[in-house]
Amino acid sequence: TQLLGDDDDAVAAAACEAAGRVKNRAHVFAVTRLLAHHQTRGAAIEALAQYGFAICGTLGDMLEDETVPLAIRARIPRVLKRIPHQRSVDILIAAYRSGDPAVRSSALKALTRLRERGPSLTFTNALLKQHALNEAHRIYEFATWLAPFESYRGRRGSAVSLLARTLEARRSEAIDRLFRILGLIYSPKEMYWTYQTLAHHDKEKHSTGVDYLDSVLDKDLKNVVIPIFDHP
């Protein structure tokens, strides 16, 4: 344990590797502290992943504990995505409720990786659907805020134009998150194709994307998601 706290990053990293091989749970908290440091982060992630699903509960508790430094919490999903277990999926879905964007972003990326590499894992958690609805409502909010600035978008250099572009960027990010979540619930490849299609300026392709969403989304999602793209 003392070596995990050594001031020499090389020594601490080597101690991480040893902890991962031994898998002594007494070292877990000391290893997670090293997630906060760039020099030891990779070794800490590798070591924690070697513990396997046995420490998923501990990592989940730390992820939800706001007293744990954000530099650590935001990196825990990078460990969980390397533990292809249903417990990892459930913890990451719950973590997406976090009020911190860094945690949400990291959790969503980790879920995407698990969806791609864990065909036996299930993503039927009801929270996923709620997360998708929440992102859709954020898109509506950004659209509402953008409406008064529509005529200012082309006025480069003005503060109002900058605000409009910032809101547009945030709206685009919310759309990206929405389709990432839909890709967890439905087919990742099909949702990525739909995302690309709806971004296209060709009306026929855009219509094809809307029709696909209409054919696969359940009623609740359909009522909220399709109007975003059917009547932009």
Side-chain angles (χ1 to χ4, degrees), residues 27-47:
H27 298 149
V28 170
F29 290 105
V31 175
T32 54
R33 283 197 293 269
L34 296 176
L35 291 171
H37 307 292
H38 173 72
Q39 296 86 345
T40 55
R41 186 174 301 146
I45 290 172
E46 178 64 30

Side-chain angles (χ1 to χ4, degrees), residues 91-106:
I91 289 169
L92 289 167
I93 290 175
Y96 198 74
R97 294 175 299 182
S98 173
D100 195 285
V103 173
R104 288 206 310 272
S105 176
S106 185

Side-chain angles (χ1 to χ4, degrees), residues 125-202:
N125 191 311
L127 278 176
L128 266 184
K129 178 178 173 179
Q130 188 57 54
H131 293 334
L133 291 170
N134 291 344
E135 290 297 348
H137 286 298
R138 288 191 183 98
I139 294 167
Y140 281 114
E141 289 178 352
F142 285 124
T144 301
W145 296 336
L146 269 167
F149 303 119
E150 191 68 36
S151 59
Y152 292 91
R153 290 190 188 185
R155 302 183 186 182
R156 298 287 176 180
S158 70
V160 178
S161 173
L162 177 60
L163 176 59
R165 293 198 301 274
T166 300
L167 289 172
E168 180 61 46
R170 296 286 175 81
R171 179 175 179 273
S172 296
E173 290 167 1
I175 291 174
D176 178 77
R177 291 193 299 269
L178 170 63
F179 276 94
R180 282 179 179 269
I181 295 171
L182 292 177
L184 298 174
I185 302 172
Y186 301 99
S187 164
K189 291 183 179 179
E190 293 297 332
M191 281 301 160
Y192 178 73
W193 170 84
T194 305
Y195 173 72
Q196 296 286 82
T197 301
L198 291 171
H200 209 282
H201 295 296
D202 184 284

Side-chain angles (χ1 to χ4, degrees), residues 29-81:
F29 290 105
V31 175
T32 54
R33 283 197 293 269
L34 296 176
L35 291 171
H37 307 292
H38 173 72
Q39 296 86 345
T40 55
R41 186 174 301 146
I45 290 172
E46 178 64 30
L48 291 169
Q50 288 186 46
Y51 277 83
F53 73 90
I55 64 166
C56 283
T58 300
L59 295 178
D61 291 341
M62 296 180 71
L63 195 52
E64 292 191 356
D65 187 351
E66 295 185 357
T67 64
V68 175
L70 179 60
I72 294 175
R73 292 171 59 224
R75 271 76 186 195
I76 288 176
R78 293 175 61 179
V79 177
L80 291 171
K81 76 178 182 182

